[in-house]
Amino acid sequence: MKLVLASKNAHKLRELGEILAELGIEVLSEAEAGVDVEVEETGTTFEENALLKARAVCGASGLPAVADDSGLCVDALNGAPGVYSARYGGEALDDPGRCRLLLENMRGQLDRRCRFVSAICCCFPGGDTVTARGECAGTLAYAPRGESGFGYDPIFFCPPLKKTFAELTAEEKNAVSHRGNALRKFKEELERYLNGTDQ
Ligand code: IMP
């Protein structure tokens, strides 16, 4: 079976491709499927946004399509930046700028609890969907630490490992991360779905 990834991110393509190859599924990029879809992420939940992206690419390509949506939710900020994680503080900010803004908005706050969330959704041409959610709980650091990863990794402290995500190797991060957890669950859910259908 072929499945299109609704993302322009080559890193996500490789990650998803590797895990779904174990089910005999070939993951195509949008370019390989001959589509180029821009989707406005207007949902208020990670699941809604993942579904919007997957549905749009499924409609355009005629193939099953999978998308993910993720972000960082901080308890003391009522879940912000949440689904707005990529756009926190406006388009002008880069990743370090967003980290600085978040630390600034958390200045003096002792409740540092936060979690990364990832939702993955696969949409089939008949309308069926398969969804999985992964989370990773942590605390917001007081200052950035580490050089690896991207986004909020330098300020996301993972208590069991006593390191920020930016201090982990890709393998170490994948073993505990929201995306790793969502991907492992997604693989199980998709396998269950495919075993129950003729896809
Ligand atoms: P998207 O799911 O590609 O839309 O990304 C959402 C945003 O959430 C990213 O731009 C990052 O700012 C943040 N984010 C999601 N996952 C991670 C992660 O694993 N580490 C750091 N930041 C992340």
Side-chain angles (χ1 to χ4, degrees):
M1 189 181 94
K2 286 185 177 167
L3 203 151
V4 188
L5 175 65
S7 165
K8 313 271 187 292
N9 185 322
H11 175 79
K12 287 185 186 176
L13 187 69
R14 202 195 59 231
E15 213 175 52
L16 192 70
E18 280 171 8
I19 202 156
L20 294 187
E22 295 167 19
L23 300 182
I25 294 172
E26 186 186 350
V27 182
L28 307 178
S29 66
E30 287 187 36
E32 286 166 333
V35 296
D36 182 6
V37 181
E38 277 307 321
V39 183
E40 237 196 295
E41 297 182 20
T42 53
T44 54
T45 64
F46 296 106
E47 282 81 359
E48 265 181 78
N49 279 336
L51 176 61
L52 279 174
K53 292 186 258 186
R55 192 181 274 150
V57 171
C58 176
S61 66
L63 290 170
V66 65
D68 82 324
D69 196 52
S70 56
L72 178 65
C73 302
V74 180
D75 287 13
L77 300 177
N78 295 318
V83 292
Y84 305 106
S85 291
R87 297 165 268 170
Y88 191 53
E91 304 287 334
L93 289 186
D94 56 3
D95 279 348
R98 276 185 282 275
C99 287
R100 274 195 299 275
L101 175 64
L102 187 52
L103 291 182
E104 183 60 37
N105 290 341
M106 283 290 285
R107 192 196 290 231
Q109 176 58 255
L110 296 179
D111 178 3
R112 313 292 294 186
R113 288 172 300 169
C114 58
R115 73 207 136 89
F116 270 126
V117 178
S118 165
I120 300 179
C121 177
C122 182
C123 199
F124 290 87
D128 287 352
T129 58
V130 173
T131 307
R133 181 187 180 96
E135 298 195 1
C136 181
T139 58
L140 203 73
Y142 286 90
R145 234 169 57 188
E147 304 295 331
S148 326
F150 71 102
Y152 300 96
D153 280 347
I155 58 171
F156 182 85
F157 185 77
C158 181
L161 301 178
K162 298 190 169 58
K163 285 180 179 172
T164 69
F165 265 8
E167 295 177 301
L168 303 179
T169 64
E171 289 70 31
E172 285 170 333
K173 179 180 166 185
N174 188 37
V176 297
S177 79
H178 51 311
R179 195 168 297 100
N181 291 335
L183 271 175
R184 286 181 282 273
K185 243 191 251 173
F186 176 68
K187 184 185 160 205
E188 274 175 32
E189 292 294 327
L190 187 62
E191 194 168 22
R192 190 168 305 142
Y193 171 80
L194 294 175
N195 284 338
T197 68
D198 300 328
Q199 300 276 345

